[in-house]
């Protein structure tokens, strides 16, 4: 069996509330690590479809994991 190679590193900053949500997901789904939980959430999000475009001028700080009002344009992208 070939070894899995992941040469790219992704670093993100989370609030305490966002980290708690990630940890809750991880433990509820018996994920072995935070990285595995993040990969699973990314997989689920990317397979969900219906992507939204970020609004013009949106900044990284405008987007959160727990945010009810993310900075998206009103049109969905298929």
């Amino acid at each position: 069996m070939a070894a899995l190679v992941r040469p790219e590193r992704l670093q993100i900053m989370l609030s305490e509330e966002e980290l708690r949500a990630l940890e809750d997901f991880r433990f509820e789904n018996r994920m072995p690590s935070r990285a595995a939980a993040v990969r699973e959430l990314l997989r689920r999000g990317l397979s969900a479809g219906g992507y939204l475009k970020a609004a013009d001028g949106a900044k990284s700080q405008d987007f959160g994991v727990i945010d009810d009002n993310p900075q998206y344009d009103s049109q969905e992208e298929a």
Side-chain angles (χ1 to χ4, degrees), residues 6 8-10 12 14 19 22-23 25-26 31-43:
R6 291 193 175 107
E8 298 297 324
R9 180 179 293 264
L10 177 66
I12 62 170
L14 300 175
L19 182 59
L22 176 63
E23 289 293 323
F25 173 84
R26 174 185 171 197
M31 305 299 297
S33 65
R34 286 179 180 168
V38 168
R39 284 192 296 272
E40 176 61 15
L41 289 167
L42 283 169
R43 185 190 68 76

Side-chain angles (χ1 to χ4, degrees), residues 18-69:
E18 291 168 333
L19 182 59
R20 192 170 327 128
L22 176 63
E23 289 293 323
D24 288 348
F25 173 84
R26 174 185 171 197
F27 289 112
E28 288 170 8
N29 291 281
R30 302 178 58 85
M31 305 299 297
S33 65
R34 286 179 180 168
V38 168
R39 284 192 296 272
E40 176 61 15
L41 289 167
L42 283 169
R43 185 190 68 76
R44 290 181 185 198
L46 291 171
S47 67
Y51 300 101
L52 299 173
K53 288 185 176 182
D56 289 342
K59 298 180 175 122
S60 179
Q61 68 189 26
D62 297 333
F63 297 86
V65 175
I66 311 293
D67 192 359
D68 289 336
N69 297 311

